[in-house]
């Protein structure tokens, strides 16, 4: 008797969930259908929407509602708290599935090679983001002793970090932040936040809306130095050919010419300052040294030899995320991605049978949630072509119960989609008690308890 196409998706962030959606909307979903199991290392799904998107972005967090509708479908099962590499590896999955899609995203900070990186007070943005977003695997406290702070990078993550550091704890209280984060932020001493970009306003990677939002807080005075507004022929072309770049540049220009107001927390956006060293004393950050740069005509910059040391006591590096290498899969260290062609994993110039990638592990850590949808569609289209052409491997145990028996046999305490409903209800109940929509449960044990099936 024909059986459904069995697909495993590793990583239940937006890319993995959109891949599941694309599979279920495809022709293959008709009789005998497709059956999908999502494996996720966290007890809860949704990836960086839950553990990356800033808590004061409820509209973006709301994308979870749309993703719910996908995960509600009966052809999809969720196995949360299952780590690929520890609990399952490729050979295990090959025994149960016709195809495996990896969508494990990116979690770590990309390295920045300047002296002083290891000083006390030098932090990776990803770690700070994980802390304020209540990730279970990071410490519960965060040192927020510095009055003057530098943030390196001019992308949206740098903006998130700078904004969270510059807002007051009470401004963030209506969001889903857990109690330990509220307490931590209440002790935050930061009065000045300095964001540094190596290049100019036309090269900043901010989204126009995220940038403008900085100015909406009654506590944040955004300051741009008029001397940092500069364009060469390359920059002018960048502005002409990309509306978003032009909008960002216009916003920065407006801020550069206005009078500085008296909101209590000053947030400086500096351009043409290339970080060269984090300066330390007794093992602690006491400054940041930068070299002034100038445009070279093409939109790139060159150093001028003029150095400044900025008085800061903490430095956050928001210079990009990096994916983890996955056991049994090829990995390109330079780009931090799994090599692929159209989502088919490529090893030694050949397509690895039945093995696919999508999302940030495929493309690298750039682009918004919506961008992962098109990516997933392409990967799934190629997977289905391989299916039609008979190129997929045949699993030894395709029946749905086999993987359940395997996980139970290994003693893996996995969570389910029904478990997410229970965790979701528990977090909403915690919020309701305080007149908030949700309060996140942080500890893995607490998440597992809230997700577990009620006994008796
Ligand atoms: C700080 C930050 C803020 C952002 N803010 C916004 C925003 O406001 N708006 C917006 O549109 N985009 C935002 N983005 C971008 C957005 O988060 C990404 O585009 C999107 O999450 C990428 O999706 P993904 O599914 O590829 O990866 P992820 O979202 O990272 O999902 C990958 C999933 O795989 C799981 N996983 C990883 N390794 C394993 C393993 N070994 N075994 C099992 N599971 C594993 C992870 O736990 C995770 O759930 C932000 C990104 C960051 C870093």
């Amino acid at each position: 008797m024909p059986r459904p196409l069995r697909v495993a998706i590793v990583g239940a962030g937006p890319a993995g969930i959109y891949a599941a959606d694309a599979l279920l909307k495809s022709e293959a979903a008709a009789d005998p259908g497709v059956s999908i199991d999502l494996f996720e290392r966290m007890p809860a799904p949704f990836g960086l929407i839950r553990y990356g998107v800033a808590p004061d972005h409820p509209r973006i967090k709301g994308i979870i509602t749309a993703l719910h509708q996908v995960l509600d479908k009966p052809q999809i099962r969720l196995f949360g708290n299952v780590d690929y590499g520890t609990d399952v590896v490729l050979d295990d999955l090959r025994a149960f599935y016709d195809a495996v899609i990896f969508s494990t995203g990116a979690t770590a900070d990309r390295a920045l090679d300047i002296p002083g990186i290891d000083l006390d007070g030098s932090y990776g943005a990803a770690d700070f983001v994980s802390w304020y977003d209540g990730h279970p695997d990071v410490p519960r406290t965060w040192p927020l002793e510095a009055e003057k702070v530098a943030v390196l990078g001019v992308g949206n993550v740098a903006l998130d970090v700078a904004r969270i550091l510059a807002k007051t704890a009470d401004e963030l209280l209506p969001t889903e932040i857990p109690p330990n984060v509220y307490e931590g932020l209440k002790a935050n001493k930061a009065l000045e936040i300095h964001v540094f970009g190596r290049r100019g306003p036309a090269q900043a990677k901010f989204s126009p809306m995220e940038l403008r939002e900085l100015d909406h807080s009654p506590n944040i005075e955004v300051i741009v130095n008029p001397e940092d507004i500069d364009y060469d022929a390359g920059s002018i072309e960048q502005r002409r050919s990309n509306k978003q770049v032009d909008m960002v540049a216009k916003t920065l220009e407006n801020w550069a010419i206005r009078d500085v107001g008296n909101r209590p927390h000053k947030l400086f956006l500096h351009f043409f300052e290339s970080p060269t060293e984090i300066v330390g004393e007794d093992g602690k950050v006491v400054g940041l040294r930068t070299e002034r740069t100038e445009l070279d005509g093409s939109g790139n910059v060159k150093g001028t030899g003029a150095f400044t040391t900025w008085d800061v006591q903490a430095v956050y590096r928001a210079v990009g995320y990096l994916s983890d290498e996955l056991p049994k899969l090829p990995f390109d260290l330079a780009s931090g991605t799994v090599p692929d062609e159209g989502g088919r994993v490529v090893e030694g110039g050949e397509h690895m049978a039945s093995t696919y990638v999508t999302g940030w592990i495929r493309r690298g850590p750039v682009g918004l949630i919506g961008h992962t949808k098109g990516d997933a569609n392409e990967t799934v289209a190629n997977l289905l072509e391989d299916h039609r052409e008979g190129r997929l491997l045949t699993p030894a145990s395709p029946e749905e119960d086999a993987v359940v028996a395997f996980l139970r046999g290994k003693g893996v305490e996995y969570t389910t989609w029904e478990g997410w409903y229970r965790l979701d209800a528990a977090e909403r109940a915690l919020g309701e008690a305080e007149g908030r929509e949700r309060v996140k449960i942080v500890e893995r044990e607490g998440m597992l308890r809230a997700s577990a099936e009620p006994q008796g």
Side-chain angles (χ1 to χ4, degrees):
M1 211 173 88
R3 61 166 178 84
L5 176 72
R6 297 271 292 132
V7 180
I9 300 178
V10 181
I17 299 174
Y18 285 133
D21 191 35
L23 278 164
L24 292 181
K25 284 182 175 153
S26 71
E27 285 170 14
D31 201 37
V34 180
S35 133
I36 301 162
D37 289 340
L38 273 163
F39 294 89
E40 167 57 50
R41 91 164 21 140
M42 305 305 294
F46 308 122
L48 284 171
I49 306 184
R50 186 173 162 96
Y51 291 120
V53 171
D56 58 347
H57 280 169
R59 202 178 52 80
I60 308 291
K61 296 254 183 207
I63 296 176
I64 286 180
T65 314
L67 298 180
H68 247 252
Q69 291 166 13
V70 179
L71 292 177
D72 273 337
K73 295 193 175 151
Q75 300 95 322
I76 303 181
R77 296 185 298 184
L78 173 71
F79 293 97
N81 201 38
V82 179
D83 183 55
Y84 175 85
T86 317
D87 302 317
V88 284
V89 286
L90 188 56
D91 289 343
D92 303 325
L93 295 174
R94 287 232 169 107
F96 304 121
Y97 301 95
D98 298 286
V100 185
I101 302 176
F102 288 89
S103 48
T104 46
T107 45
D109 283 292
R110 183 170 278 281
L112 178 69
D113 191 17
I114 57 172
I117 282 297
D118 296 326
L119 288 165
D120 195 6
S122 156
Y123 308 112
D127 292 335
F128 182 54
V129 168
S130 292
W131 173 74
Y132 69 60
D133 251 344
H135 194 292
D137 301 339
V138 300
R140 297 291 166 269
T141 55
W142 192 271
L144 291 163
E145 301 292 322
E147 285 189 6
K148 295 181 187 174
V149 180
V151 178
L152 313 186
V154 280
N156 289 337
V157 176
L159 287 185
D160 283 346
V161 167
R163 196 180 64 252
I164 298 291
L165 286 168
K167 276 188 171 179
T168 62
D170 285 324
E171 260 181 294
L172 291 163
L173 185 59
T175 72
E176 62 183 30
I177 52 166
N180 68 299
V181 173
Y182 175 65
E183 291 306 323
L185 291 172
K186 249 174 47 173
N188 180 12
K189 298 201 175 77
L191 295 172
E192 280 184 22
I193 322 289
H194 297 263
V195 177
F196 292 94
R198 263 180 64 240
R199 302 195 285 164
Q203 288 81 36
K205 300 281 180 253
F206 306 135
S207 301
M209 222 169 69
E210 282 229 17
L211 180 64
R212 283 197 300 267
E213 187 199 332
L214 273 190
D215 208 34
H216 298 168
S217 162
N219 294 304
I220 306 180
E221 194 66 50
V222 187
I223 301 165
V224 178
N225 183 346
E227 286 177 15
D228 284 0
I229 303 294
D230 195 18
Y231 309 103
D232 61 355
S235 311
I236 292 164
E237 184 47 38
Q238 279 163 325
R239 286 186 69 167
R240 207 174 15 226
S241 60
N242 185 327
K243 207 169 147 217
Q244 306 256 325
V245 169
D246 191 51
M247 285 160 81
V248 164
K250 279 197 178 114
T251 300
L252 295 169
E253 284 167 12
N254 288 337
W255 288 345
I257 54 173
R258 70 181 177 184
D259 293 334
V260 175
N262 55 7
R263 297 181 194 178
H265 298 162
K266 311 288 180 224
L267 200 161
F268 297 83
L269 296 172
H270 303 281
F271 297 93
F272 302 112
E273 295 290 349
S274 175
T276 56
E277 183 186 350
I278 301 176
V279 185
E281 214 175 86
D282 300 330
K284 287 197 174 124
V285 172
V286 293
L288 174 76
R289 199 163 147 79
T290 62
E291 181 181 9
R292 188 76 185 164
T293 62
E294 62 187 12
L295 288 159
D296 68 0
S298 69
N300 272 319
V301 289
K302 55 183 192 233
T304 62
F307 290 86
T308 308
T309 301
W310 305 82
D311 171 27
V312 294
Q313 302 87 45
V315 176
Y316 289 75
R317 308 178 306 273
V319 293
Y321 270 54
L322 193 64
S323 297
D324 289 330
E325 209 169 329
L326 291 164
K328 307 281 180 195
L329 287 196
F331 195 71
D332 179 53
L333 283 173
S335 63
T337 57
V338 172
D340 79 296
E341 274 169 16
R344 294 174 172 111
V345 174
V346 173
E347 189 174 37
E350 303 276 321
H351 291 164
M352 252 177 115
S354 291
T355 314
Y356 304 85
V357 271
T358 191
W360 274 19
I361 183 72
R362 173 185 175 201
R363 299 237 169 229
V366 281
L368 298 174
I369 294 162
H371 296 139
T372 62
K373 198 170 188 170
D375 200 31
N377 287 342
E378 188 188 5
T379 295
V380 165
N382 285 326
L383 183 159
L384 293 174
E385 185 185 289
D386 292 345
H387 176 45
R388 279 193 306 275
E389 302 290 324
R391 290 193 285 257
L392 298 182
L393 301 172
T394 306
S397 312
E399 49 301 336
E400 290 192 354
D401 290 348
V403 69
V404 175
F406 169 82
L407 291 173
R408 290 203 176 131
K410 286 194 83 176
V412 179
E413 192 184 346
Y414 62 82
T415 58
T416 60
W417 181 233
E418 294 71 37
W420 160 256
Y421 269 92
R422 288 187 281 271
L423 173 61
D424 185 43
E427 292 189 337
R428 285 178 190 277
L430 284 175
E432 206 178 326
E434 297 181 18
R436 299 159 64 188
E437 195 179 321
R438 168 191 304 274
V439 172
K440 255 186 190 164
I441 297 176
V442 182
E443 271 76 19
R444 194 174 275 264
E445 280 310 310
M447 293 177 77
L448 291 177
R449 259 197 315 278
S451 305
E453 233 170 285
Q455 297 296 309

